[in-house]
Amino acid sequence: MSPAKTILLNTGAAIPVIGLGTWQSSENATRDAVRHALQHGYRHIDTALNYGNEKEVGEGIRASGIPREEIWVTTKLDNHWHHRVQVGLESSLKDLGLDYLDLYLIHFPCSTDPDDRTKHLEDWDFVKTWQEMQKLLDTGKVKNIGVSNFQITHLERLLNDPSCKVVPAVNQVELHPYNPSPKLLAYCASKNIHCTAYSCLGGHSDSPINGQTNLTKDPIIFQIAESKKKTPAQILLQWGLQRGVSVIPKSVTPSRIENNFDLGDWNLTEEEFKRISAVTTRSKVVGDGWMPIRVFLGDDE
């Protein structure tokens, strides 16, 4: 599968199968990483209001010299903006310096009270948020809408609500061999919802959230990488692509950004794919302990 390849969403739009993630990237590093990625073939950049780097992402896009219409930009509505969707969108567009988004996601199915982030908003939840998200499609400022970190329970509730007129185009979730979520993938496929994998290389030992999940050091991944003369990260990304998901690996190192995109002229064999899929270790990078409600319900395996 070529990294230049795209996958058609249920809207008819074509999302690039590999993009650059920017979570936990510092300001200058984000700007330079985005510029470098775009100049080396990437056409999908993923960010979020929550990351605090939308301004730098926009600067990197402009510094790249790549025309805006050739770039797919994804960002996300933060939890405490759920009842202010239009305002949240305008904030992101202003910081990015863009007129429109290719994809706008609800970051988590959690509507947090902005005055007390230990509490959930009264009389508000992600179903109402989705009602407001749907309205954005008529503004011309958002081409596609979707969700992130939604489990089967959340999707069932949303899709079965009479107010849901638009099926999410994308569900962006944590996906890697230690958190493969086969039931969630199958459910989304049955509803024609595309899945994008974040934390597709696992986490890092200094991750402040949940996981110490560095999959690049997994012995099976390492062995396959050695035998194919590829990096462990390339093996993990190819595994994701061969599952039919798009991937958004985060890196600020130019050589790694380039290697992560070099996935076009080779594949994992069926045996290699099965060996990785058979890994039994389970671990997540992102948890929900910092939110007022649980969002990871364990119904995705």
Side-chain angles (χ1 to χ4, degrees):
M1 183 177 287
S2 168
K5 183 176 172 62
T6 57
I7 292 177
L8 282 181
L9 303 179
N10 59 26
T11 61
I15 187 171
V17 297
I18 183 166
L20 181 76
T22 61
W23 179 45
Q24 294 184 333
S25 295
S26 64
E27 293 180 4
N28 289 334
T30 296
R31 184 184 307 111
D32 292 343
V34 169
R35 175 186 54 77
H36 188 80
L38 290 171
Q39 291 176 343
H40 284 79
Y42 286 72
R43 288 298 180 267
H44 180 187
I45 304 297
D46 179 89
T47 184
L49 192 155
N50 176 266
Y51 301 168
N53 62 11
E54 288 176 317
K55 181 174 181 289
E56 290 71 33
V57 166
E59 291 171 353
I61 289 172
R62 289 185 288 279
S64 74
I66 304 300
R68 166 67 183 99
E69 61 270 18
E70 295 182 16
I71 306 169
W72 181 284
V73 179
T74 298
T75 194
K76 310 174 192 77
L77 179 77
D78 206 0
N79 296 351
H80 59 285
W81 291 79
H82 274 216
H83 62 312
R84 300 172 292 167
V85 170
Q86 183 67 49
V87 179
L89 170 64
E90 295 297 339
S91 173
S92 288
L93 288 174
K94 179 181 178 182
D95 283 347
L96 286 162
L98 299 178
D99 296 325
Y100 70 92
L101 299 174
D102 297 276
L103 179 62
Y104 197 36
L105 306 177
I106 298 177
H107 205 156
F108 287 93
C110 175
S111 303
T112 303
D113 186 338
D115 297 321
D116 184 352
R117 298 191 192 180
T118 67
K119 296 180 180 178
H120 197 265
L121 275 173
E122 293 186 15
D123 193 32
W124 196 277
D125 62 15
F126 62 82
V127 174
K128 289 188 176 180
T129 308
W130 190 249
Q131 293 171 20
E132 298 303 307
M133 293 283 285
Q134 292 176 133
K135 296 176 184 177
L136 301 179
L137 295 172
D138 295 327
T139 68
K141 296 180 179 181
V142 174
K143 304 296 185 184
N144 304 273
I145 56 174
V147 297
S148 181
N149 296 296
F150 273 50
Q151 307 291 281
I152 295 171
T153 300
H154 304 123
L155 291 168
E156 283 275 85
R157 180 159 176 240
L158 179 62
L159 296 174
N160 290 327
D161 192 278
S163 68
C164 182
K165 308 300 183 184
V166 178
V167 175
V170 170
N171 186 16
Q172 186 182 122
V173 289
E174 180 177 344
L175 292 170
H176 49 70
Y178 290 1
N179 192 61
S181 303
K183 287 184 180 178
L184 179 60
L185 280 186
Y187 178 86
C188 288
S190 75
K191 303 298 182 181
N192 200 18
I193 299 171
H194 174 69
C195 287
T196 294
Y198 75 75
S199 293
C200 39
L201 307 179
H204 300 281
S205 58
D206 59 352
S207 171
I209 308 292
N210 215 38
Q212 315 295 326
T213 305
N214 193 342
L215 281 121
T216 61
K217 298 187 182 302
D218 182 272
I220 290 176
I221 303 298
F222 189 80
Q223 289 166 13
I224 294 174
E226 288 276 287
S227 69
K228 297 184 82 70
K229 295 182 170 54
K230 301 293 181 183
T231 67
Q234 287 174 318
I235 299 301
L236 289 161
L237 295 172
Q238 193 68 267
W239 178 79
L241 293 181
Q242 289 181 217
R243 297 181 88 206
V245 306
S246 52
V247 294
I248 46 170
K250 174 249 175 169
S251 181
V252 296
T253 306
S255 61
R256 290 178 180 169
I257 289 172
E258 293 170 28
N259 284 338
N260 290 346
F261 195 70
D262 185 17
L263 305 172
D265 59 356
W266 61 279
N267 281 293
L268 297 171
T269 66
E270 184 177 354
E271 180 186 358
E272 290 165 343
F273 181 84
K274 286 181 177 179
R275 283 185 67 197
I276 297 170
S277 300
V279 168
T280 57
T281 301
R282 292 292 176 263
S283 180
K284 277 178 59 61
V285 176
V286 176
D288 56 11
W290 55 280
M291 287 183 276
I293 61 170
R294 289 190 62 210
V295 299
F296 299 123
L297 308 174
D299 61 351
D300 59 350
E301 282 297 320

